[in-house]
Amino acid sequence: MNVSRIAIAGGVAASTVLLFVGPAAAHVSVQPQGEAAKGGYATINFKVPNERDNASTVKLEVNFPTEHPLSSVSPQAVPGWKIKVDKTKLDKPLDVHGKKITEAVSKVTWTSDGSQIDPGYFQQFPLSVGQLPEDADQLVFKALQTYDNKEVVRWIEEPAADGEEPESPAPVLKLTAASADAHGATAADHDKSAHTTDDKAAGETKASSASASADSSDSTARVLGVVGIVIGIAGVAFGVLAGRRRNA
């Protein structure tokens, strides 16, 4: 009997922990595919779980940080969702690859268009973003999650200084040190890669030309050799015929 009571009490305690931990962990978050390197470009996913048992998520709004505007934001199509990208004029233009950028994306909104996030499910919303700032360790995106019962959950609280997670945390993208891989290559790396590719192409063209010239020389030598052989055979045949005529 005592064992049964202990087991039941333990089960209740475990269920209580799950009930409290579940909703706290089920918030909108953002993660890169690979890494998000400072000064580079990255593909990031906003993960949206449904934390309600009696409603479905039908809309997600993600606001971009104004203190670190991104010059390039490209959403990937998500079946069953409409995408709207809002831009705002910058107080201070950005200089990207020698080009002045006067506006940047301020918000991206995904709205249900035949699909939705039902209870117990989650959905990912991918974006290609850049150029990531070089003077920041993270980017904070404030998000609003709307359910089909008109409830709006505001994931807008920034990380606390002591590291404790707030009740409604905003999605935070952690930035890593600059690297030269496909997801985090800097603009200088892209330019260097382009020059390297051009030099390599030029070298291959020269090698190809030299090879073609060598092949042409070989072909000419072979033709001359064959012509010489033919002339030699003809001379021998002429000599033989001339000798037979004299003998006759």
Side-chain angles (χ1 to χ4, degrees), residues 60-81:
L60 173 69
E61 300 172 64
V62 174
N63 293 278
F64 282 68
T66 57
E67 67 275 16
H68 295 293
L70 301 178
S71 60
S72 175
V73 177
S74 302
Q76 179 178 323
V78 180
W81 295 83

Side-chain angles (χ1 to χ4, degrees), residues 19-28 48-57 117-122 145-147 151-155 167-169:
L19 286 174
F20 279 103
V21 172
H27 56 75
V28 176
V48 184
N50 193 323
E51 58 173 9
R52 299 290 182 263
D53 295 328
N54 57 353
S56 298
T57 298
I117 309 173
D118 293 324
Y121 290 83
F122 75 92
Q145 181 179 8
T146 303
Y147 289 88
E151 178 189 7
V152 178
V153 180
R154 300 167 63 83
W155 305 104
E167 184 178 349
S168 299

Side-chain angles (χ1 to χ4, degrees), residues 26-234:
H27 56 75
V28 176
S29 61
V30 60
Q31 292 293 333
Q33 291 183 10
E35 66 175 11
K38 297 178 181 180
Y41 295 79
T43 297
I44 61 176
N45 287 316
F46 284 92
K47 182 179 179 181
V48 184
N50 193 323
E51 58 173 9
R52 299 290 182 263
D53 295 328
N54 57 353
S56 298
T57 298
V58 294
K59 186 177 181 180
L60 173 69
E61 300 172 64
V62 174
N63 293 278
F64 282 68
T66 57
E67 67 275 16
H68 295 293
L70 301 178
S71 60
S72 175
V73 177
S74 302
Q76 179 178 323
V78 180
W81 295 83
K82 292 186 298 183
I83 305 173
K84 183 175 183 292
V85 178
D86 292 321
K87 294 184 178 182
T88 186
K89 196 169 186 64
L90 298 174
D91 295 332
K92 182 181 179 181
L94 298 175
D95 188 358
V96 181
H97 306 314
K99 182 179 179 181
K100 294 293 183 182
I101 304 298
T102 58
E103 61 179 14
V105 171
S106 56
K107 181 171 67 173
V108 178
T109 304
W110 292 264
T111 305
S112 173
D113 187 28
S115 185
Q116 58 188 17
I117 309 173
D118 293 324
Y121 290 83
F122 75 92
Q123 176 68 53
Q124 293 194 93
F125 298 94
L127 291 171
S128 174
V129 298
Q131 188 171 352
L132 299 173
E134 298 179 356
D135 57 350
D137 295 324
Q138 63 184 25
L139 292 178
V140 179
F141 300 86
K142 296 184 179 182
L144 277 65
Q145 181 179 8
T146 303
Y147 289 88
D148 56 7
N149 62 0
K150 307 303 181 184
E151 178 189 7
V152 178
V153 180
R154 300 167 63 83
W155 305 104
I156 61 173
E157 296 184 57
E158 299 193 16
D162 59 5
E164 185 177 351
E165 186 176 80
E167 184 178 349
S168 299
V172 176
L173 177 66
K174 300 291 186 180
L175 303 182
T176 60
S179 65
D181 65 10
H183 293 286
T186 62
D189 293 330
H190 282 298
D191 293 341
K192 182 178 179 181
S193 177
H195 288 309
T196 301
T197 301
D198 292 341
D199 293 343
K200 183 179 179 181
E204 290 177 349
T205 299
K206 291 180 181 178
S208 178
S209 298
S211 177
S213 178
D215 291 343
S216 177
S217 298
D218 290 344
S219 298
T220 301
R222 289 173 184 171
V223 170
L224 291 177
V226 171
V227 170
I229 293 172
V230 171
I231 292 175
I233 294 174

